[in-house]
Amino acid sequence: MAASSNAEQTQLQDMEEEDAGMEEREMESDEDEEEGMGVENSDEDEEDDSSEDEKENEAEIQRLEEQLSINAFDYNCHVDLIKLLKQEGELFRLRKARQKMSELFPLTEEIWLDWLKDEIRLTEEEPNREKVYELFERAVKDYICPDIWLEYAQYSIGGMGSPGGIDRVRSIFERAVTAVGLHMTKGQMVWEAYREFENAILSTVQPPPGRIPSHEEQEMLKTQLERIHTLFRRQLAIPLMDMEGTYAEYEEWSEHGVPETVMHQYKKALQQMEKCKPFEEALMVAETPKLAEYQAYIDFELKEGDPARIQITFERALSENCLVPDMWAKYTIYLDRQLKFKDLVLSTHERAVRNCPWTMGLWKSYLLALERHGADHQTVSDVFEKALNAGFIQATDYVEIWQAYLDYLRRRVDFSKESSKELEELRAAFSRSLDYMKHDVEERFGESGDPSCIIMQIWARIEALHCKNMQKARELWDSIMTKGNAKYANMWLEYYNLERSYGDSIHCRKALHRAVQCTSDYPEHVCDVLLSFERVEGSLEDWDFAVQKTETRLNRINEQRAKAAEKEANLARQEDERAEQRRKAKVEKKAQKKVQKGTRAGEKRKAEQDDYQDEWNEDAGPKRHRGNADQPTDEYMETETGPFGKATPPGYKPAPPATKKAPQGAAAAPPAHRQNEDNPELRNDNSSVFVSNLAYTLEEPEAKLRTLFETCGPIKQIRPIFTGKGSFRGYGYVQFESPVSVPEALKLDRRDVEGRPVFVSPCVDKNKNPDFKVFKYNTMMEKHKIFISGLPFSCTKEQLAEICKNHGTVKEVRLVTYRSGKPKGLAYVEFADETQASQAVLKLDGIEVEGNKISVAISNPPRRNATDKPGSSRPTGDAMPRQVYGARGKGRTQLSMLPRSLHRQSAPAGKVENGSAADGEPASAAGNAAGEPKQLSNSDFAKMLLNIVDVALWKNRMVRIYAVPISVIPCFRGSMSTRLVLHNKILFVYRILGKHV
């Protein structure tokens, strides 16, 4: 084989050299022609470009080869190298790369088919066909693939002219139909190829027309016809797609019709196909890897109980899910417990560990299967060594694989002999395992993976039980205790039981006394065991000594525990005190901010009134209040304000009583709906809920809330909150007769009321519990939940649940909406476990829903910074200064009513702006110097502004709020803030005069 490979390599090298020589001669002739003509040929540019590409590819190939020399288990690197070599036509390097990859990994169907086709082209001569046969045998062992089997059979037909060629083709076809003939969608093409081959053989044995065949020819013809009949019967007994066409073909081909037995088997197969059809259709429409669909199909076949169909279904699932360890484990367990065929079981185990070498459970099952089927010791040892080099992901995996191998070695030992080769090998393996865990595993994982020294305990038990060597067992237990296990009572009791079973009372007593002295987790239990032991086997002196020692030890332990408990209590008390201090400081800070805000608002309101009086030369009238004058709270007394939260100017005449929403008599006393608010003793937060996000325009909110919550239980009172003017604030409280009704009411959270989602939350006093939050922002990755964006606004929870339920069990669907109830196009879907969520991400990401392409990912909210929390102030840039609010501070809306041109910071003090000079020079002087017209007085400006608005209204035009820009007011003296105040006052004047602004 080596000689043929060398000859083949020499032949290909000669071919490559000839091709290269021809290309060089062509290039030289082209260059000569170009030199004679003096014209540059465009082909040279193309060749230069191709040579540059070849250099780049060669550099990339060398890089990949160097990377594989460092890490041979880089799967993607192997694939990339094979693609580049195939692109460059490096056939021998390509063969070598494929060979290396096949030794480490099972190759996919595509890689095998490409490799086989390349080898078939290279080995067209007869003597080299055996190499291709060997390659096909390796290919069919990796995966059960119908396409590879069909290619194998068709290639073998090319060698049917050699001795025994027909029998070899039939043998390959028989193996193919045995392996993949039950494949419901692709098995039919193998059967048809087999029948076509036999029909071709039939045409060669039929005598020519007009000649009477001999007896031997008649026998050969009869035998060949029987072969074809048998193939039809076998195929019609198997449930395959398009069975009806095969049955019709058999009816047409058979001279005597279809036998009754064949028809019966055909109908039975049709019934079986109807049962399997839903699963096949689900596989056709599903996307790769189709894990859930295959799992359902396998469960169905396991219930049916047909071993051949179970096997082919597993093989189909593994061909698309070869990296799923659970699927391999389920398949191997079925083969180990049901079929128990040695070749099939061992080959499947080998394929499993080649596909998932990082899974310790598959290696452990492989070792057990080798021992179960009587594999030789060298084979088992080689598999174990491969397992150690597989690269497990946990330190405990190495402990388990060593335990499995040590169990195998123990079962080989004949302990009736004092010494044997197997026993020495077992002890050497125990010693090696301890060294391996100490050096290799600890260096890699930072831990031994065996903190309880399970391997040493097993070794000590074997020495004591089978070898009767208690001295060795005690040495092992001394080593176990020195590894940090002396403080655990269960370790001492395990050693005591060993001494109790195979040792003597002296060592039992010694072990218990050491346990009393060293144990720190459950000393009482160890003391009880010591006293029980001395009660049965000890003398009076032993008893007294044991009692004294246990009492002394327990007293010391109790003192230590009391000190630890006191220390912990002090720490907890200090923590509670710090938490209480933080809470009080937070409450005081809030109260202080409210007081400061109220003080600033009052001072600002007074200053604005003074400015207003100075500008307009009008006397301010007294403030007017609504509500009961005796009420000190702001809830029942509200000052009339303008659209910017400013105080009502003098001379303001309110609208007639007929235009009010509530009668004037209501101002003399609190409204009827507030009488319950005056009696705090009637309120009970434990039986109440807080309802918010209601529409401000909601009519009869109390009746609407009663209708909404009356199904939750008896309602004691409903307290919708209103402003001093009688307008509904959009929230309120619902108090029930019993706290039992509160959980039912909370279930109505986000229920739609007149087009808005209603927020229902527990009623909690924020002054007593300022940290209470109904919804806590989750900053951790939620692996069982997916986040969907790009949804159409018309998508409902039911539609989204219908889309997601095909990929797992949907526990909850939450659409993200604005406070108004309008959707944002975002959603969260919670699944039963992480696996279903991962599958949903793979299958749903990028699909279209009602014409919108959605994005799906695992829910991973960003970490919330301090500036993102509610109530925190975000830093703003220079382009957006702090918004100017009204006299009450922050108003009901955050929308600025000023023009964008006003959103800029004030100029430095030394800069002249809008007619105001920094040096105190009159603005009129600056204006005259620039040739500007004389400035208007305040009364002149007021008249001019009235004329502008009247003309605009007369022409039936809409005058916007920013129709009076700040640039129109340079004629007034004063700072920017003064002009802003005047600007707002002007707008307010026109609002109260009834102008449409």
Side-chain angles (χ1 to χ4, degrees), residues 191-206:
W191 286 102
E192 290 179 352
Y194 195 1
R195 283 191 284 106
E196 288 178 2
F197 167 73
E198 294 296 347
N199 280 322
I201 299 298
L202 176 63
S203 63
T204 61
V205 299
Q206 285 181 341

Side-chain angles (χ1 to χ4, degrees), residues 594-609 623 645 647 886-890:
K594 288 183 178 179
V595 172
Q596 293 176 355
K597 186 182 293 185
T599 304
R600 287 197 302 268
E603 293 175 354
K604 188 174 182 181
R605 183 161 54 244
K606 183 178 179 182
E608 290 172 355
Q609 290 175 355
K623 294 182 181 178
R888 299 176 188 171
K890 184 179 291 188

Side-chain angles (χ1 to χ4, degrees), residues 163-454:
I166 295 179
D167 293 336
R168 186 169 193 170
V169 175
R170 285 198 178 107
S171 174
I172 293 174
F173 267 118
E174 284 295 331
R175 291 172 57 196
V177 296
T178 302
V180 298
L182 294 178
H183 198 294
M184 187 166 287
T185 56
K186 295 185 178 180
Q188 182 182 4
M189 61 183 184
V190 180
W191 286 102
E192 290 179 352
Y194 195 1
R195 283 191 284 106
E196 288 178 2
F197 167 73
E198 294 296 347
N199 280 322
I201 299 298
L202 176 63
S203 63
T204 61
V205 299
Q206 285 181 341
R211 186 173 69 85
I212 300 176
S214 62
H215 179 71
E216 294 180 356
E217 291 177 343
Q218 290 179 357
E219 288 297 327
M220 290 177 60
L221 182 61
K222 183 178 180 182
T223 303
Q224 188 63 26
L225 289 173
E226 185 60 30
R227 284 198 184 100
I228 299 175
H229 275 288
T230 304
L231 286 177
F232 270 116
R233 294 166 187 167
R234 290 169 61 187
Q235 182 179 355
L236 290 174
I238 299 172
L240 298 172
M241 290 296 181
D242 196 21
M243 293 183 62
E244 296 82 357
T246 305
Y247 182 79
E249 183 181 353
Y250 185 37
E251 278 186 324
E252 182 180 354
W253 185 85
S254 178
E255 297 179 353
H256 305 289
V258 180
E260 189 68 25
T261 56
V262 177
M263 189 177 298
H264 177 71
Q265 292 177 350
Y266 167 70
K267 292 180 180 180
K268 187 176 180 181
L270 275 178
Q271 294 176 356
Q272 181 67 26
M273 187 188 68
E274 290 298 324
K275 293 180 181 179
C276 301
K277 196 171 182 180
F279 299 100
E280 294 291 343
E281 291 176 350
L283 289 173
M284 290 179 183
V285 299
E287 297 179 0
T288 306
K290 311 175 184 179
L291 185 60
E293 290 78 11
Y294 274 120
Q295 188 63 57
Y297 204 171
I298 290 171
D299 294 339
F300 165 75
E301 293 293 353
L302 287 173
K303 290 180 181 179
E304 293 292 316
D306 187 350
R309 292 207 55 79
I310 294 172
Q311 181 185 354
I312 191 62
T313 308
F314 267 116
E315 293 290 350
R316 291 176 61 185
L318 289 169
S319 64
E320 298 189 46
N321 299 275
C322 58
L323 301 180
V324 180
D326 292 341
M327 185 68 72
W328 283 107
K330 190 173 183 179
Y331 187 26
T332 54
I333 289 173
Y334 171 77
L335 295 178
D336 287 334
R337 296 179 180 178
Q338 301 296 329
L339 297 186
K340 301 180 181 179
F341 296 135
K342 177 180 178 180
D343 295 337
L344 176 61
V345 171
L346 295 183
S347 64
T348 304
H349 276 287
E350 182 182 4
R351 291 161 54 208
V353 296
R354 289 188 68 202
N355 280 277
C356 304
W358 63 86
T359 307
M360 182 277 307
L362 297 178
W363 287 102
K364 186 176 179 180
S365 301
Y366 192 11
L367 291 175
L368 291 173
L370 288 170
E371 183 183 4
R372 193 178 294 119
H373 291 280
D376 59 277
H377 175 61
Q378 188 60 41
T379 302
V380 179
S381 299
D382 293 342
V383 171
F384 171 70
E385 295 297 333
K386 291 180 181 178
L388 289 182
N389 297 323
F392 299 141
I393 59 178
Q394 300 182 42
T396 54
D397 292 343
Y398 288 94
V399 179
E400 292 192 36
I401 198 66
W402 268 109
Q403 286 181 5
Y405 183 59
L406 293 171
D407 292 343
Y408 158 74
L409 294 178
R410 180 196 61 79
R411 288 189 285 265
R412 295 179 65 244
V413 178
D414 184 4
F415 291 103
S416 61
K417 301 177 182 180
E418 293 185 2
S419 63
S420 61
K421 179 182 177 182
E422 290 79 7
L423 179 58
E424 295 302 324
E425 187 176 357
L426 174 62
R427 286 173 173 165
F430 269 114
S431 299
R432 183 192 168 198
S433 67
L434 298 179
D435 293 338
Y436 188 88
M437 301 302 296
K438 181 178 181 181
H439 296 96
D440 296 66
V441 177
E442 283 190 9
E443 288 179 1
R444 180 179 175 186
F445 296 97
E447 58 176 346
S448 65
D450 190 13
S452 300
C453 301
I454 300 296

Side-chain angles (χ1 to χ4, degrees), residues 435-572:
D435 293 338
Y436 188 88
M437 301 302 296
K438 181 178 181 181
H439 296 96
D440 296 66
V441 177
E442 283 190 9
E443 288 179 1
R444 180 179 175 186
F445 296 97
E447 58 176 346
S448 65
D450 190 13
S452 300
C453 301
I454 300 296
I455 294 178
M456 296 180 71
Q457 291 187 43
I458 295 173
W459 190 3
R461 200 174 297 117
I462 291 174
E463 292 288 350
L465 173 62
H466 297 292
C467 302
K468 312 300 180 186
N469 189 356
M470 277 302 299
Q471 183 62 32
K472 180 65 175 177
R474 293 185 184 114
E475 292 176 1
L476 291 170
W477 269 104
D478 287 340
S479 179
I480 291 173
M481 293 304 179
T482 57
K483 292 183 180 295
N485 294 301
K487 59 184 177 181
Y488 300 116
N490 64 323
M491 302 298 290
W492 284 108
L493 295 179
E494 188 71 25
Y495 177 37
Y496 165 73
N497 291 330
L498 184 71
E499 288 285 357
R500 189 76 170 165
S501 301
Y502 310 109
D504 50 47
S505 59
I506 296 176
H507 287 89
C508 287
R509 182 178 290 109
K510 185 178 179 181
L512 289 175
H513 278 281
R514 291 176 62 191
V516 170
Q517 191 66 28
C518 300
T519 301
S520 60
D521 55 350
Y522 298 103
E524 296 87 354
H525 187 47
V526 176
C527 292
D528 291 341
V529 174
L530 175 59
L531 294 177
S532 300
F533 173 78
E534 297 296 354
R535 182 177 285 112
V536 175
E537 298 190 14
S539 62
L540 180 59
E541 291 79 6
D542 296 334
W543 171 260
D544 291 339
F545 183 71
V547 170
Q548 181 182 358
K549 189 167 186 175
T550 54
E551 288 180 352
T552 303
R553 177 61 176 166
L554 291 178
N555 289 335
R556 189 182 303 117
I557 290 293
N558 290 332
E559 291 176 1
Q560 294 175 355
R561 289 177 177 173
K563 291 181 180 179
E566 183 179 0
K567 184 177 180 181
E568 186 176 354
N570 291 335
L571 292 175

Side-chain angles (χ1 to χ4, degrees), residues 105 409 643 738:
F105 303 102
L409 294 178
S738 172

